[in-house]
Amino acid sequence: MKKQILTTLLLSFLAITTIHAQGGKIKPTEVVFIQGGNTADETFGTTKPDVILVARSVTNTHWSRTGFLKFKIPQDIKSLNSVDLNISIKVYKNAEQPDLKFSLNVQAVPENTWSKATITWNNAPKAGEVLGSVILDQSQDDKLSKLTIKLDA
């Protein structure tokens, strides 16, 4: 995987911790979510350190949210052979659809000039290739679960 492509990841999940690349941990330098609908021109930032609220609604884009994470890859890493994304995640229960699954996709974002102070739904960069994905059940105990997603390198 090219170093530039991993610089920014587009995620649909609640919280991020680190990525592991060739044995080293890299924390995101920017963590932000964006939201559609009548708030599509607003910046949101994060709800608290390292937490992104993400949702998807096919009926109302106001409730559609996407998370962006930016990583600064150290210059001594010339290429990435393997990357594990380590996150803590909670899939909120849906009382009306308790068997509903949550699909989490991790996508590359080749353009990395965005910042959490200015990114909105309307000016967000386009997502690139899917690097990893997982299907999750709803959280039964209402707590965060730790998850590792192996990303295509």
Side-chain angles (χ1 to χ4, degrees):
M1 171 192 314
K2 292 183 178 140
K3 183 175 169 180
Q4 176 187 10
I5 290 179
L6 188 63
T7 303
T8 307
L9 297 175
L10 169 67
L11 302 176
S12 299
F13 64 88
L14 179 64
I16 178 72
T17 53
T18 59
I19 61 172
H20 288 187
Q22 281 107 346
K25 290 183 182 181
I26 304 170
K27 292 189 176 193
T29 56
E30 295 198 57
V31 179
V32 66
F33 74 89
I34 56 174
Q35 181 171 287
N38 61 350
T39 58
D41 282 323
E42 295 179 29
T43 58
F44 286 93
T46 54
T47 55
K48 61 182 180 178
D50 294 340
V51 174
I52 303 172
L53 295 177
V54 176
R56 183 169 190 286
S57 172
V58 291
T59 58
N60 183 348
T61 60
H62 173 75
W63 298 113
S64 291
R65 295 178 180 152
T66 300
F68 282 79
L69 302 156
K70 187 181 287 186
F71 296 93
K72 182 174 172 113
I73 307 300
Q75 289 186 356
D76 61 331
I77 297 178
K78 301 299 181 205
S79 66
L80 300 170
N81 298 322
S82 68
V83 176
D84 292 342
L85 178 65
N86 297 292
I87 61 173
S88 297
I89 188 164
K90 178 168 126 179
V91 179
Y92 287 93
K93 293 180 188 177
N94 182 328
E96 296 173 8
Q97 297 176 301
D99 295 326
L100 194 64
K101 307 281 187 192
F102 180 78
S103 177
L104 177 126
N105 292 316
V106 178
Q107 294 176 262
V109 179
E111 189 273 302
N112 68 352
T113 59
W114 63 269
S115 87
K116 66 181 176 181
T118 60
I119 191 172
T120 68
W121 183 270
N122 288 336
N123 70 10
K126 299 287 183 222
E129 68 179 302
V130 174
L131 303 175
S133 62
V134 65
I135 306 283
L136 301 166
D137 292 322
Q138 296 174 38
S139 299
Q140 297 303 312
D141 58 5
D142 207 32
K143 294 182 180 176
L144 292 172
S145 299
K146 294 198 183 286
L147 177 70
T148 297
I149 302 172
K150 296 210 175 286
L151 304 181
D152 293 335

